[in-house]
Amino acid sequence: MARKKVRKAGGRAQAQRQQVHRQQMQRQQMQRQQMQRQQMSGEQLERQQIERERAKRQQEGQRREQLLMQQRREMQQRQEMLRQQQMYGAPVQEEGKRKKKARRFYDYDLLVVIIFLTVFGLIMIYSSSAYNAQVSRQPSNYYMVRQGQIAVAGFILMLIISKIDYHFLAKFTVPAVVVSYICEILVTFTPLGIAVNGKKRWLGTRSLRFQPAELVKIVVILLLAVLITRLGKQINEWRVWGMIAVLIGPLALLVTMNNLSSGIIICGIAFVMMFIACKRKWPFIATVALGITVIVFAPPVAIALEKAGILHSYQLSRILVWKNPEAYPKSGGYQVLQGLYAIGSGGLLGKGLGQSIQKLSFLPEPQNDMIFAVICEELGLFGAVAVIFMFLFMLYRFLVIAGNAPDLFGAMLVTGVLALPISYRDPGRLEHCRCYECDS
């Protein structure tokens, strides 16, 4: 009995142990399953978070692409507007935007210089021309009043043009070129041209007339500015240079037939504008070198050109006088020598305003081409240098304006205007010139 009880007790203990073991195994299995579920839920959360971040990045990329596309479209629209503005000369307004009035302002430094030079020029015209006006039985202020009227009209015209958008001028390029050709043909080959000092340069009537060569200078500036703007990088191609030569060459030749100096000025304007616009510089450098060579050997070259019929005899004489004026003191060198006498007698501070001696019938036409000699005589070296510096400052302001121009067309217009004062000559009428067949 006792043994049976022991066996039963052992069996119960073993059953209890087995039950405890099964329970422990179940708990461990449940813990493992719970840990697996936790691990799986953590991975799912990570995957979900990664997917959300990926979707967010995709949305940001799409928004960025849309923004870039919008910016690209706006840039293309602005480029198209700028191209149309350069092509047609009128500012194009963006759709949906109100038209704003453009701000206009003046370069007051340049304005002050121009006013000063104009007033100073009128004073010197009166000082240099009072004697000749009285000899011609005119009031002493005759030339000053006439030039003053022109100056007032010029200032009024300048004010009007300053209120106009300069792109508007591009529309008149072709008509202006046609009118220039017509005027030059009329003045050269028809009786409508008025001859002064043996050369037909004027068109109009005796009381109201103008020189078509002065119109041609402005037209060449406008034409080249439009061509350079519209051609862009094509301006560096040789065929484009040939096209420009075909357009401007005959016009310059018509001017040169009656006025060599104006023809040279027109070629100089074209040279400066093309030099600034073109990337290829060596042809211009070679041209300058050739020009210097021609200047050094001017007399034999001029003689050869005169024999070939390209130059007239009076043009040859002017070149010979320019090289050696002392050899022609009573003919071609007279005007040059009298001008040198006036410059040399002025000294450092001059003889005083109105005290010139050379203007008393010694210096031909002192109020025109030779007015600088009168300035040197009356105001001396100091006055002459001051006037030169005023002109240099004016040219500097032109450079500043060209550099700050809003587009290429404006910059090229200013560049062409800049070339004018450098080579400008007074187209005034010489009535008492004593030089040899002068064509001044």
Side-chain angles (χ1 to χ4, degrees):
M1 292 293 292
R3 186 176 295 175
K4 287 183 180 178
K5 290 181 180 179
V6 170
R7 287 177 182 171
K8 289 181 180 177
R12 287 194 296 272
Q14 185 176 2
Q16 290 177 355
R17 287 195 298 272
Q18 290 177 355
Q19 185 178 2
V20 170
H21 180 67
R22 284 194 299 272
Q23 291 177 354
Q24 289 179 352
M25 291 295 293
Q26 291 176 357
R27 285 196 298 269
Q28 290 177 0
Q29 186 177 0
M30 290 176 63
Q31 290 177 357
R32 284 197 297 271
Q33 291 177 357
Q34 186 177 3
M35 290 177 63
Q36 290 176 358
R37 285 194 298 270
Q38 291 177 354
Q39 290 177 356
M40 290 179 62
S41 62
E43 292 176 357
Q44 290 177 354
L45 289 174
E46 289 180 358
R47 284 196 298 270
Q48 292 176 358
Q49 185 176 0
I50 291 173
E51 290 177 358
R52 285 195 297 269
E53 292 178 353
R54 185 180 302 164
K56 186 177 180 180
R57 286 195 296 270
Q58 290 178 354
Q59 292 177 357
E60 290 179 354
Q62 291 176 357
R63 286 196 298 268
R64 192 179 299 110
E65 290 179 359
Q66 293 176 357
L67 182 61
L68 289 175
M69 289 294 294
Q70 183 179 359
Q71 292 177 351
R72 195 174 293 114
R73 285 194 298 269
E74 291 177 355
M75 181 65 70
Q76 291 175 355
Q77 291 176 358
R78 285 195 294 268
Q79 290 177 352
E80 180 66 19
M81 289 169 58
L82 180 61
R83 187 185 68 82
Q84 293 180 5
Q85 181 176 352
Q86 293 177 348
M87 287 285 292
Y88 303 107
V92 182
Q93 298 293 331
E94 296 183 8
E95 296 182 359
K97 292 187 177 181
R98 296 179 61 185
K99 184 177 179 180
K100 297 182 178 179
K101 187 176 180 180
R103 293 182 59 190
R104 302 183 185 277
F105 59 92
Y106 298 98
D107 189 323
Y108 290 103
D109 293 336
L110 178 62
L111 185 61
V112 169
V113 170
I114 291 176
I115 293 175
F116 172 81
L117 290 175
T118 302
V119 175
F120 176 78
L122 292 175
I123 294 173
M124 293 310 303
I125 286 176
Y126 176 76
S127 175
S128 60
S129 65
Y131 177 79
N132 282 349
Q134 291 175 339
V135 170
S136 302
R137 297 182 180 180
Q138 298 288 347
S140 61
N141 61 350
Y142 170 74
Y143 292 102
M144 185 191 71
V145 170
R146 188 176 65 174
Q147 190 66 32
Q149 293 172 349
I150 297 174
V152 171
F155 271 97
I156 294 174
L157 184 61
M158 179 181 69
L159 182 62
I160 294 173
I161 294 177
S162 68
K163 301 296 183 181
I164 301 175
D165 186 356
Y166 60 86
H167 297 96
F168 182 70
L169 302 175
K171 297 181 179 180
F172 300 96
T173 303
V174 175
V177 173
V178 174
V179 170
S180 298
Y181 271 102
I182 293 174
C183 290
E184 283 298 329
I185 292 173
L186 290 176
V187 77
T188 305
F189 301 108
T190 67
L192 297 177
I194 300 174
V196 176
N197 294 313
K199 302 303 296 182
K200 293 173 64 176
R201 300 176 183 172
W202 300 86
L203 191 63
T205 63
R206 287 287 177 180
S207 58
L208 182 62
R209 57 187 177 178
F210 75 101
Q211 284 194 13
E214 301 303 315
L215 174 64
V216 172
K217 295 173 186 177
I218 300 174
V219 171
V220 167
I221 293 174
L222 182 61
L223 175 62
L224 284 177
V226 171
L227 290 177
I228 292 170
T229 302
R230 297 187 179 181
L231 292 174
K233 293 183 179 180
Q234 296 180 1
I235 197 66
N236 296 294
E237 300 177 4
W238 291 108
R239 62 179 184 84
V240 175
W241 289 22
M243 179 190 69
I244 293 175
V246 170
L247 288 174
I248 299 178
L251 194 57
L253 182 61
L254 287 172
V255 175
T256 306
M257 291 175 63
N258 290 321
N259 194 337
L260 178 62
S261 59
S262 293
I264 294 174
I265 291 171
I266 292 171
C267 294
I269 292 172
F271 182 89
V272 172
M273 295 182 69
M274 291 294 292
F275 176 79
I276 297 298
C278 294
K279 185 178 180 180
R280 187 185 292 115
K281 303 296 183 184
W282 68 263
F284 301 96
I285 298 175
T287 303
V288 172
L290 179 62
I292 294 174
T293 304
V294 171
I295 291 175
V296 172
F297 300 99
V301 172
I303 293 173
L305 293 177
E306 195 267 341
K307 291 181 179 180
I310 299 176
L311 289 181
H312 297 287
S313 59
Y314 75 89
Q315 293 172 336
L316 172 63
S317 67
R318 295 191 71 182
I319 293 174
L320 297 177
V321 168
W322 170 67
K323 293 296 290 186
N324 188 14
E326 291 82 2
Y328 307 90
K330 295 183 178 180
S331 55
Y334 177 84
Q335 186 172 358
V336 178
L337 292 177
Q338 294 299 322
L340 292 175
Y341 296 155
I343 294 173
S345 62
L348 182 62
L349 299 177
K351 298 178 178 178
L353 188 63
Q355 303 301 316
S356 171
I357 301 298
Q358 291 298 113
K359 69 182 181 183
L360 304 178
S361 298
F362 295 101
L363 191 62
E365 290 295 315
Q367 73 276 6
N368 288 330
D369 289 347
M370 304 303 293
I371 192 171
F372 186 72
V374 178
I375 294 175
C376 293
E377 185 179 7
E378 295 187 351
L379 304 181
L381 179 64
F382 176 80
V385 172
V387 173
I388 291 173
F389 271 107
M390 292 299 293
F391 275 100
L392 291 177
F393 182 75
M394 182 181 68
L395 298 180
Y396 164 73
R397 294 312 304 174
F398 282 144
L399 290 175
V400 173
I401 294 172
N404 295 325
D407 53 23
L408 180 60
F409 181 61
M412 295 313 302
L413 280 179
V414 179
T415 302
V417 175
L418 170 66
L420 268 177
I422 298 175
S423 53
Y424 181 77
R425 291 188 62 190
D426 189 328
R429 174 183 175 183
L430 294 182
E431 298 174 350
H432 306 289
C433 183
R434 300 180 186 177
C435 61
Y436 181 75
E437 295 184 13
C438 179
D439 77 324
S440 299

